[in-house]
Amino acid sequence: MKNFLYRMDLKGSPYLYIAPFFLVFAAFGLFPLVYTGWVSLHDWELISDDHTWVGFANYTKLFGDTYFWNALWNTLSIWVMSTIPQLLMALVLAHVLNQRLRAPTFWRMTALLPNITSVAAVALIFAQIFGRDYGLVNYLLGVFGLGHIDWQSGTASSQIAISAMIIWRWTGNNALIYLAAMQAVPRDLYAAASLDGASSFQQLTKITIPAIRPTILFTVIISTIGGMQVLAEPLLFGGASPTGGSDRQFQTLSLYLYEVGFSRFDFGYASTAAWAMFGIIVIAALINYLITSRLRRS
Amino acid sequence: MRLINDGGIRRRRIVAVAGSLLAATLVMTTAACGSDSDTASNEKVKLTVATFGEFGYKALYTEYMAAHPNIEIVERITKTEDHQKNLAAHLATNSGAADIEAIEEGWVGQFTSQPGKFYDWMEYGGAELKSAWPAWKWQQASSPDGKVIGLGTDVGGMAMCYRKDLFAKAGLPTDRAEVSKLWPTWDEFIATGVKFEAAKPGAKFMDGPAVMYRSILGQQPVGIYDGDKVVVDSAPGVKTAWDLTIKAMNAGLSAKIAAWTPDWNTGMAKGTFATLACPSWMMAYIQTQAKDTAGKWDIADVPGGGGNWGGSFLTLPKQGKHVKEASELAKWLVAPEQQAKVFRAVGNFPSTVSLYEDSVIKDFKNPFFSDAPVGAIFSKSVKTMVPQYMGPKSGDVNTAVINGLTRVEQGKQTPDEAWTQVLKDVKALL
Amino acid sequence: MYLCLIALAFFSGFPLYWSLVVASHDNSVLGQTPPPFGLGSNFFINIGRAFDTVPFAKALLNSFIVSTSITVSVVLFSTLAGFAFAKLKFRGRNALLLMIVATMMVPTQLGIIPLYMLMAKTAMIGTLYAVIVPSMVSAFGVFFMAQFLQEAVPNELLEAARADGCNTIRMFWHVVLPAARPAAAVLGMLTFMTAWNDFFWPLVVLTPEEPTVQVALSTLASGYVQDFSLSLTGTIIATVPLLVLFGLLGKHIIGGIMQGAVKG
């Protein structure tokens, strides 16, 4: 009997522990997903009551939709420009915060500040910083005689500005995630390394990074997912216009979805784009996972 | 419709205040007694009114509740964009909409395309009221098959704000009557701009293409829609507005600033551009963004006569349970007396024709803009505006056209290339 | 190193400070170059206006209830599930974890319409439940905890506990929970912050009669001419409680991180 209970506990209890997640998810995550899939097979005007079944016509249309591919391409390039510096900076920042400091709480709180500040305030301020005629960045460029840049109109410049906004908002967040993982690295490893004369940077690369690999993998996947869903920054940068610039030069996938769904009220086609986006993120995350786990093995 | 005078309003206010005190006592007494048979015969109806921004209705609700003790009004105010999106979600799911929902002009076409989601005002006394509004305002909230979903609350009107100091520098007249005479048409407006630039006053003549394009489009007998058909490529309306705007840009008049950006705000304060086509609400915008430029601005007629930008409607979503009470309240809120009160309190320009002859509007001057008789200027533009159908895609088509103009301005495309792409974009929208 | 940190503080704090500058003047500062860097005198007037316009006290209380409920629930369920994924062997473990990661990839905005229909069916619209219930679990949290616990809880410790006759729930309580504290603290903070700042969904499902702070902010940011000093005053009113809360709890949270480190 005791043996039976023991085996039940061992084999059965894990399901009990993960059940709450799957129960809530089934109701509030899965249902919307399936429903969206159903909608994507229809000609479905958002506020109209008649919906015509069109099969996969929306998907065929999406496949030939240059604006969709443009948005995908923009999303990828903004993702690369924002994620890599963001994670590297977060790692260094976490390493610094992990040292013995005066007033550690204060500095950690400071790292969180960008994330606490409301998106609306951030957008307003960044729009001013990257203004063409009176923006702070162009003012500084002017001081050094480097001319000025019309940040919004160029493809690269607008995407750089948006990436800067994303980096600014999320670096501290990732740094705290790294910091939590670093705290679990046994201190005596560092003490031993110090005795061997390892520099702070060597300690970071030789001890910390190997020790917190799962967390690094975690942040890479999370920021891939987050990067695919960037919406607020390009929307607000473009002055609330959903097209992301006159030439859609900074329209991301999410923004395109938003334009189709909530500006054109074409719920069917927006759902199609959402499902396509879902598929793309899954593929991206899988590739990501394969690469990272291969790196880990080697 | 009866004209009102100031005395009437003031007297009404006193009555209203007294009334609301009385109502408050009544509420307290009822609350003390609990629910008794009295209230059952005269059951309280709770009406929700969802608006956005500043409708200036708070005092009016109190007044109405005082006069109608059986009505309780709950207000919901949300940010403009959020409000329209929420309304769409509420209509799509057939739940959650308020008894009275306001809609802004920029979105009205999307909702008139689904008139079945709203009660038709023609069945709730709309026919008798129709003449109170300018024809175009009435048209905006009508579906192509003649159903009317909204009653107008306010309008924007259109005028041309200009910087007197910059005009003087360029050797142009500064008096508003003479300035108005400079540009009866948009072609003459552009010609004036060329003269302005030739004098090299250190500023551009206009801000950017968006406002000019919209103003001209509003003056065309047929705009984006002809009935329920999009006619961007077949009717001359949109192309006329496009060509004139391109002409102004080619003449080097534009400061190339996109509206609503920080550069635009700063440009107003710094005098980067000398003219800005401005609806009535833009006055408040300029006043708050460029506080220090008081007295440097003045207001003349808009080229081409009439024009409008902005304004809202009150609708009754079909989900509402108390349509009779809600329609009474909405009709009362848009009646001339109340529109005049709102105008005084928060400055929303009335949409009722009869008020334009009233001293409330006729004698209204704005000291910030050199005491320009703005009431008269805006009412003239509203009265001469032509009716146009607004369709579900009007907003998106305008975005596509303005994006095209911006591409030309940013040197990314020639006008012809941009127009070809606009037509392609518009086709993809349908 | 401190130079680096001061630069960090400057970059991180600047927009918040700038909000305060605008909030303490009026709209016209946005059009000035160079903009003023000192504080104006309008701040308390603007605060008064903000409190007059929307029921901020109620909104703050509502936000507090919502964020606390979500945080407690997310941290608890995430640690539990994270433990199961990281340290227990069961059939379908990898597939289920992958599924959880996949759920994060669902674009959220489109879920709004079906989710709203669901809320209408269960009569939760307009109540705080409509905001709390769908957020009670988080795929991010589960994944985060699973990744963290892999390294933070040594297998030997669990084997020892099992040899002592501990069942899994006691192992969770006595071994895993203490080790999970640093990650739980961070997860809690991030969850609280996200819940506090979330506006997309609350705006659709709540009414201004029963608002959270973000809904109240939407009411403040109004109309044809947005009053930026008023809305930025609102964002400061919405942000300061977070700062105060984290400031007060910060020591305990950081303390938790240290303690966890010592035990781990």
Side-chain angles (χ1 to χ4, degrees):
Chain A
M1 183 64 194
K2 196 169 176 202
N3 201 22
F4 173 73
L5 277 180
Y6 175 76
R7 282 190 31 208
M8 270 307 286
D9 176 46
L10 210 59
K11 298 262 188 265
S13 70
Y15 297 106
L16 205 62
Y17 300 154
I18 61 172
F21 175 84
F22 283 100
L23 282 179
V24 178
F25 175 74
F28 301 107
L30 201 59
F31 168 71
L33 185 66
V34 172
Y35 188 84
T36 308
W38 171 248
V39 172
S40 77
L41 303 173
H42 290 77
D43 187 0
W44 192 305
E45 181 87 16
L46 183 57
I47 53 177
S48 156
D49 279 333
D50 9 290
H51 319 297
T52 334
W53 173 268
V54 293
F56 286 91
N58 281 331
Y59 288 90
T60 326
K61 186 176 156 202
L62 189 76
F63 200 71
D65 183 346
T66 48
Y67 292 151
F68 175 76
W69 297 109
N70 168 62
L72 176 64
W73 184 243
N74 288 342
T75 307
L76 287 177
S77 86
I78 290 176
W79 173 70
V80 170
M81 280 195 285
S82 60
T83 306
I84 295 169
Q86 174 192 330
L87 293 184
L88 288 178
M89 279 162 61
L91 210 50
V92 174
L93 183 59
H95 183 63
V96 171
L97 288 173
N98 198 25
Q99 313 295 313
R100 292 200 176 282
L101 295 170
R102 281 169 186 279
T105 316
F106 173 78
W107 298 115
R108 279 165 195 164
M109 292 282 300
T110 310
L112 259 188
L113 268 185
N115 220 263
I116 293 180
T117 314
S118 89
V119 192
V122 173
L124 183 68
I125 288 144
F126 271 80
Q128 285 198 308
I129 291 175
F130 287 106
R132 184 193 62 187
D133 295 347
Y134 301 103
L136 188 64
V137 179
N138 275 348
Y139 172 76
L140 291 176
L141 287 179
V143 168
F144 294 109
L146 296 171
H148 79 176
I149 297 173
D150 188 350
W151 290 96
Q152 241 213 46
S153 85
T155 307
S157 61
S158 60
Q159 294 188 1
I160 288 171
I162 288 167
S163 301
M165 225 184 295
I166 298 171
I167 293 170
W168 181 82
R169 273 193 78 212
W170 294 101
T171 299
N173 221 342
N174 283 310
L176 280 198
I177 291 176
Y178 287 148
L179 182 63
M182 286 177 187
Q183 301 276 346
V185 180
R187 289 266 152 192
D188 37 350
L189 281 181
Y190 293 107
S194 287
L195 282 180
D196 290 348
S199 72
S200 179
F201 183 72
Q202 280 170 331
Q203 289 182 17
L204 174 66
T205 52
K206 293 270 147 57
I207 302 172
T208 314
I209 292 181
I212 61 166
R213 263 212 176 126
T215 307
I216 293 178
L217 174 64
F218 167 79
T219 54
V220 170
I221 293 180
I222 291 292
S223 32
T224 305
I225 294 168
M228 290 295 146
Q229 304 195 356
V230 166
L231 170 72
E233 286 86 357
L235 179 65
L236 296 164
F237 184 66
S241 157
T243 58
S246 65
D247 214 9
R248 294 170 191 264
Q249 64 268 28
F250 54 92
Q251 185 177 47
T252 57
L253 273 181
S254 276
L255 194 54
Y256 184 59
L257 206 89
Y258 184 82
E259 183 195 356
V260 175
F262 288 99
S263 174
R264 294 193 215 158
F265 286 1
D266 190 345
F267 193 29
Y269 195 51
S271 300
T272 310
W275 261 87
M277 194 171 143
F278 178 55
I280 289 164
I281 301 176
V282 171
I283 292 167
L286 274 180
I287 294 172
N288 213 315
Y289 182 79
L290 288 178
I291 293 174
T292 334
S293 55
R294 169 149 304 177
L295 285 179
R296 182 156 52 162
R297 245 178 276 129
S298 63
Chain B
M1 199 151 291
R2 195 176 66 86
L3 298 182
I4 52 154
N5 59 46
D6 296 7
I9 286 174
R10 215 167 294 136
R11 233 175 295 126
R12 252 161 220 278
R13 269 237 169 110
I14 295 164
V15 174
V17 171
S20 59
L21 281 175
L22 184 67
T25 349
L26 276 177
V27 168
M28 274 191 273
T29 349
T30 353
C33 303
S35 60
D36 51 17
S37 53
D38 252 23
T39 48
S41 63
N42 198 2
E43 208 164 321
K44 222 166 180 159
V45 175
K46 189 169 146 185
L47 296 177
T48 43
V49 187
T51 62
F52 46 86
E54 186 54 91
F55 271 65
Y57 280 172
K58 211 164 221 156
L60 296 181
Y61 294 150
T62 320
E63 187 182 335
Y64 193 82
M65 284 192 278
H68 303 80
N70 63 325
I71 303 280
E72 188 198 344
I73 302 174
V74 180
E75 68 168 343
R76 293 180 187 163
I77 306 176
T78 323
K79 196 172 161 181
T80 312
E81 290 85 8
D82 298 337
H83 170 86
Q84 329 286 334
K85 248 161 252 147
N86 284 354
L87 178 57
H90 294 157
L91 294 177
T93 54
N94 287 319
S95 65
D99 293 292
I100 299 177
E101 291 269 358
I103 295 178
E104 213 269 341
E105 184 197 61
W107 280 270
V108 73
Q110 272 151 328
F111 294 109
T112 49
S113 70
Q114 299 294 336
K117 294 280 181 183
F118 300 91
Y119 289 106
D120 182 1
W121 273 112
M122 296 309 269
E123 288 165 24
Y124 292 89
E128 301 93 82
L129 294 174
K130 186 176 174 181
S131 60
W133 285 273
W136 60 267
K137 181 77 179 172
W138 187 258
Q139 180 91 294
Q140 282 186 337
S142 308
S143 68
D145 61 353
K147 295 205 172 66
V148 180
I149 67 162
L151 296 184
T153 57
D154 62 321
V155 295
M158 192 57 91
M160 188 60 78
C161 295
Y162 66 97
R163 288 281 295 249
K164 281 192 300 187
D165 53 336
L166 295 174
F167 269 47
K169 229 190 221 172
L172 292 172
T174 57
D175 177 71
R176 70 181 76 91
E178 285 175 56
V179 170
S180 294
K181 266 186 227 142
L182 287 176
W183 53 58
T185 67
W186 286 98
D187 274 315
E188 282 153 303
F189 176 76
I190 295 169
T192 310
V194 172
K195 263 186 241 159
F196 178 88
E197 292 298 338
K200 300 211 182 307
K204 287 290 170 185
F205 188 60
M206 56 191 261
D207 60 328
V211 182
M212 178 170 175
Y213 158 76
R214 282 200 59 144
S215 311
I216 304 173
L217 181 68
Q219 296 167 346
Q220 307 304 313
V222 174
I224 291 167
Y225 277 84
D226 190 358
D228 56 357
K229 274 201 193 60
V230 172
V231 291
V232 175
D233 53 349
S234 51
V238 176
K239 192 69 179 12
T240 307
W242 167 277
D243 286 340
L244 278 168
T245 312
I246 292 280
K247 189 174 164 193
M249 283 174 3
N250 282 345
L253 308 185
S254 164
K256 303 184 181 179
I257 300 175
W260 317 114
T261 59
D263 280 330
W264 199 55
N265 299 339
T266 318
M268 278 178 207
K270 297 252 161 190
T272 312
F273 42 87
T275 67
L276 173 65
C278 58
S280 58
W281 45 268
M282 191 76 85
M283 296 191 296
Y285 193 91
I286 297 174
Q287 275 171 60
T288 49
Q289 296 300 335
K291 220 170 42 172
D292 301 335
T293 58
K296 289 183 181 163
W297 291 90
D298 205 328
I299 300 183
D301 289 342
V302 71
N308 180 67
W309 182 4
S312 300
F313 303 88
L314 295 185
T315 66
L316 308 170
K318 271 261 167 75
Q319 304 163 19
K321 298 275 179 293
H322 308 291
V323 58
K324 193 177 142 285
E325 290 84 356
S327 67
E328 298 294 326
L329 171 60
K331 277 189 280 188
W332 183 80
L333 285 170
V334 300
E337 289 91 337
Q338 278 63 248
Q339 289 201 13
K341 284 180 210 170
V342 169
F343 174 70
R344 281 150 174 259
V346 295
N348 294 354
F349 203 78
S351 63
T352 314
V353 182
S354 61
L355 280 179
Y356 300 154
E357 304 305 325
D358 192 89
S359 59
V360 175
I361 297 299
K362 220 168 60 181
D363 302 337
F364 173 59
K365 293 187 165 75
N366 190 329
F368 185 93
F369 293 87
S370 314
D371 271 325
V374 289
I377 295 174
F378 287 123
S379 17
K380 190 162 93 186
S381 80
V382 170
K383 277 190 290 189
T384 44
M385 169 111 167
V386 289
Q388 244 181 36
Y389 265 116
M390 306 275 275
K393 306 288 181 196
S394 287
D396 295 303
V397 170
N398 274 333
T399 306
V401 176
I402 291 169
N403 275 345
L405 290 167
T406 311
R407 284 193 300 273
V408 175
E409 189 175 71
Q410 290 170 341
K412 291 178 178 171
Q413 286 177 335
T414 66
D416 287 340
E417 284 164 3
W419 178 249
T420 313
Q421 192 182 326
V422 167
L423 290 183
K424 209 182 93 201
D425 285 354
V426 169
K427 199 170 268 172
L429 283 174
L430 306 176
Chain C
M1 196 164 68
Y2 280 96
L3 214 65
C4 180
L5 285 173
I6 288 167
L8 162 81
F10 176 77
F11 279 113
S12 312
F14 179 70
L16 199 62
Y17 176 73
W18 178 240
S19 310
L20 196 61
V21 170
V22 177
S24 63
H25 287 88
D26 57 38
N27 253 5
S28 67
V29 294
L30 293 173
Q32 288 172 23
T33 43
F37 282 97
L39 297 181
S41 53
N42 271 352
F43 187 52
F44 291 100
I45 299 173
N46 282 335
I47 284 198
R49 279 167 65 209
F51 272 90
D52 282 347
T53 318
V54 292
F56 247 119
K58 192 180 192 184
L60 287 168
L61 180 68
N62 280 344
S63 277
F64 190 76
I65 294 171
V66 166
S67 309
T68 310
S69 318
I70 292 177
T71 304
V72 169
S73 153
V74 163
V75 170
L76 180 71
F77 289 138
S78 299
T79 317
L80 211 51
F83 162 59
F85 280 118
K87 292 296 166 186
L88 301 176
K89 289 196 174 63
F90 56 96
R91 198 183 289 246
R93 182 175 77 166
N94 284 333
L96 285 172
L97 184 62
L98 211 65
M99 221 176 115
I100 288 191
V101 176
T103 63
M104 276 188 282
M105 303 167 193
V106 182
T108 42
Q109 301 118 29
L110 265 211
I112 281 198
I113 300 291
L115 204 52
Y116 191 88
M117 287 167 33
L118 205 62
M119 290 296 159
K121 282 260 172 352
T122 51
M124 286 200 260
I125 286 176
T127 69
L128 296 183
Y129 294 112
V131 183
I132 296 173
V133 175
S135 306
M136 273 175 54
V137 297
S138 128
F140 170 85
V142 174
F143 187 34
F144 176 60
M145 277 300 178
Q147 295 298 93
F148 177 82
L149 290 175
Q150 265 179 42
E151 303 293 313
V153 180
N155 286 331
E156 303 81 53
L157 213 59
L158 291 175
E159 276 153 25
R162 201 178 281 288
D164 286 349
C166 273
N167 58 18
T168 50
I169 194 74
R170 288 189 53 177
M171 271 160 50
F172 175 73
W173 193 255
H174 292 291
V175 182
V176 177
L177 260 191
R181 278 173 77 166
V186 171
L187 178 62
M189 239 153 68
L190 297 182
T191 308
F192 195 92
M193 217 159 61
T194 315
W196 187 274
N197 281 336
D198 186 23
F199 61 94
F200 209 81
W201 175 240
L203 259 177
V204 177
V205 83
L206 294 181
T207 61
E209 298 124 75
E210 193 66 53
T212 61
V213 278
Q214 303 303 328
V215 177
L217 284 183
S218 163
T219 306
L220 274 190
S222 59
Y224 291 144
V225 187
Q226 192 180 345
D227 187 340
F228 284 110
S229 55
L230 185 61
S231 32
L232 286 181
T233 305
T235 61
I236 287 172
I237 299 175
T239 310
V240 165
L242 268 187
L243 282 175
V244 170
L245 189 74
F246 287 169
L248 287 178
L249 294 181
K251 272 228 164 67
H252 295 277
I253 294 172
I254 305 293
I257 294 181
M258 294 305 180
Q259 219 170 2
V262 172
K263 284 199 176 158

